[in-house]
């Protein structure tokens, strides 16, 4: 899991899809959950799970995509 830092709670409930998650999918074709944890200290997290069928280049691509999106915000 990757903590991207502090954020604010969304005004929505459980069916909220974070804009970063949508951008990663539409711009980079990466499907990864992006969630906010903790009501008292909300932090933005990207939830990843290593699988045997993934290789290191896919994780590097995710890191590059996150870096690009982080610079755009």
């Amino acid at each position: 899991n990757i903590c991207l830092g502090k954020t604010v709670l969304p005004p929505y409930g459980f069916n909220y899809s974070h804009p970063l998650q949508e951008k990663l999918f539409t711009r980079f074709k990466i499907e990864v959950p992006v969630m906010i944890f903790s009501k008292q200290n909300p932090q933005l997290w990207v939830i990843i799970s290593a699988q045997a069928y993934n290789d290191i280049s896919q994780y590097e691509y995710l890191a590059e995509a996150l870096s690009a999106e982080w610079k755009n915000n």
Side-chain angles (χ1 to χ4, degrees), residues 6-51:
K6 293 187 179 218
T7 189
V8 295
L9 288 174
Y12 310 104
F14 288 105
N15 292 329
Y16 175 74
S17 178
H18 196 277
L20 176 60
Q21 183 173 343
E22 294 177 14
K23 287 179 185 177
L24 289 172
F25 183 75
T26 57
R27 292 186 65 202
F28 301 98
K29 303 301 181 224
I30 296 173
E31 192 164 348
V32 62
V34 176
M35 301 183 170
I36 298 172
F37 287 109
S38 177
K39 286 185 178 182
Q40 295 77 22
N41 186 22
Q43 295 180 339
L44 188 63
W45 287 81
V46 174
I47 311 301
I48 61 172
S49 178
Q51 301 296 326

